[in-house]
Amino acid sequence: MAHPTTVIMGLGLEIGFAIARRFYDASHNVMVVDSSQQRIEKARAELPDDIKVEHWDAGELIHNGFARAEEQFGYLDHLVLIPRIVPPDTLMELDEEKFSQRAATILGLQAGAIKDFADRVTHVEAELEARATQRRQRASVTVVLSLAAHLSQPGQFTSTVLQGAAEAMVRAAALELAEHNIRVNTVCALRPRAEKQEGSGLVGRTPLGRTANGDEIAEATFFLASEAAAIITGETLVLDGGRSVGHPVYAWRVLRRLKNSFSIWLASGAAASSRRTVGRQWQVGCSKKRGPCSTAPPFSSSAARVSVRMRAKLIAPAHMAQGSSVT
């Protein structure tokens, strides 16, 4: 039985290397293509010699990459796309010309690669269709994105927009290519570079306390390309350590800190001063009504009673918040 052929376009900092090794270990013919000479040199030094490594400029990456893979192996089975991640920025500091260029380059490359791959696969399959006795799993496309595609964050405007658009393209392509028996899916991961950008604060915002490592992302990518995922298309497999559903957990931690601060404030002289001030304002309001007030003055109850109410609202078990929305 012929070995499947997998083309990996884009290497990233380390994800592409791990993915190339995973497919190679599963006896795939693997070709890695990238427009960065530095990453290509690293790949040639670190990856097994049997993995073909090609350097092409961005304009030639798609056509020449697929052509070389077909020349080397004769056919294509799987495509893995790893779009470039852009530097952090905000909407208010947006350079519109640079934004347009990045969108055209990154999204244009992804759309062009998926289309060219599908054209080549369907062309080869049409020649072999007469020999086939039943419809089989033919090919897959997997796009590896950052968590910005799934979860917006301040200071990541362009990345969030482009990664989100890339994920939407996957869903659209999955519908278009289903009739050709080509599956298209996404792996959306909290990647190692996030830890470098966010520092130690990432641990507190992620229930599992870490990013997905390269081997885990590679395993998820391989699964989506395998026969085990033959029924899966148009889906996003999220590897974020619970970050997406962990926002309520993070909110709970913030609320807990607020509760502690509030308790300290209640015990301080400032709290007593505030209660006296509000009490005087209440008395003035009653006198203007020219009659007795029917309600008790604010803060007339003890600080302990207020603290108990705050505790009831804020000290809820953390597991109650996981996987649910904050209302």
Side-chain angles (χ1 to χ4, degrees), residues 80-284:
V80 177
L81 286 168
I82 308 176
R84 181 168 61 91
I85 294 179
V86 301
D89 66 350
T90 66
L91 175 61
M92 298 307 294
E93 63 184 23
L94 182 68
D95 183 324
E96 295 181 30
E97 182 177 353
K98 187 176 292 186
F99 176 84
S100 298
Q101 291 173 348
R102 286 171 173 167
T105 300
I106 295 173
L107 298 178
L109 177 65
Q110 179 174 319
I114 294 174
K115 181 183 183 300
D116 198 347
F117 175 78
D119 285 341
R120 293 171 185 271
V121 168
T122 53
H123 175 72
V124 171
E125 187 65 19
E127 296 177 354
L128 301 175
E129 190 173 351
R131 307 178 195 176
T133 57
Q134 72 178 70
R135 199 178 191 204
R136 65 182 179 86
Q137 179 193 352
R138 176 157 63 244
S140 74
V141 178
T142 306
V143 183
V144 181
L145 302 175
S146 73
L147 192 59
H150 197 68
L151 186 66
S152 300
Q153 297 184 88
Q156 299 285 340
F157 178 78
T158 299
S159 180
T160 299
V161 171
L162 297 185
Q163 296 278 305
E167 185 183 23
M169 188 187 299
V170 165
R171 294 193 297 271
L175 287 177
E176 296 277 345
L177 298 179
E179 64 179 287
H180 302 291
N181 206 22
I182 299 174
R183 300 180 300 104
V184 191
N185 293 292
T186 304
V187 172
C188 181
L190 183 58
R191 289 155 71 164
R193 74 169 63 200
E195 193 163 10
K196 299 175 183 177
Q197 294 175 347
E198 299 184 38
S200 59
L202 178 140
V203 174
R205 290 190 290 272
T206 306
L208 291 184
R210 65 176 181 85
T211 62
N213 62 46
D215 290 339
E216 290 168 332
I217 297 172
E219 196 64 44
T221 304
F222 180 76
F223 164 72
L224 289 175
S226 70
E227 292 282 351
I231 195 61
I232 301 175
T233 193
E235 294 295 334
T236 297
L237 182 55
V238 180
L239 311 179
D240 67 351
R243 179 80 170 264
S244 301
V245 297
H247 272 321
V249 176
Y250 176 56
W252 146 245
R253 291 172 180 167
V254 173
L255 288 173
R256 186 173 183 177
R257 287 196 292 270
L258 288 174
K259 186 272 299 184
N260 292 335
S261 299
F262 185 75
S263 297
I264 293 171
W265 177 80
L266 283 174
S268 69
S273 175
S274 296
R275 288 195 295 272
R276 287 193 296 269
T277 301
V278 174
R280 285 196 297 270
Q281 292 173 346
W282 173 80
Q283 290 174 352
V284 171

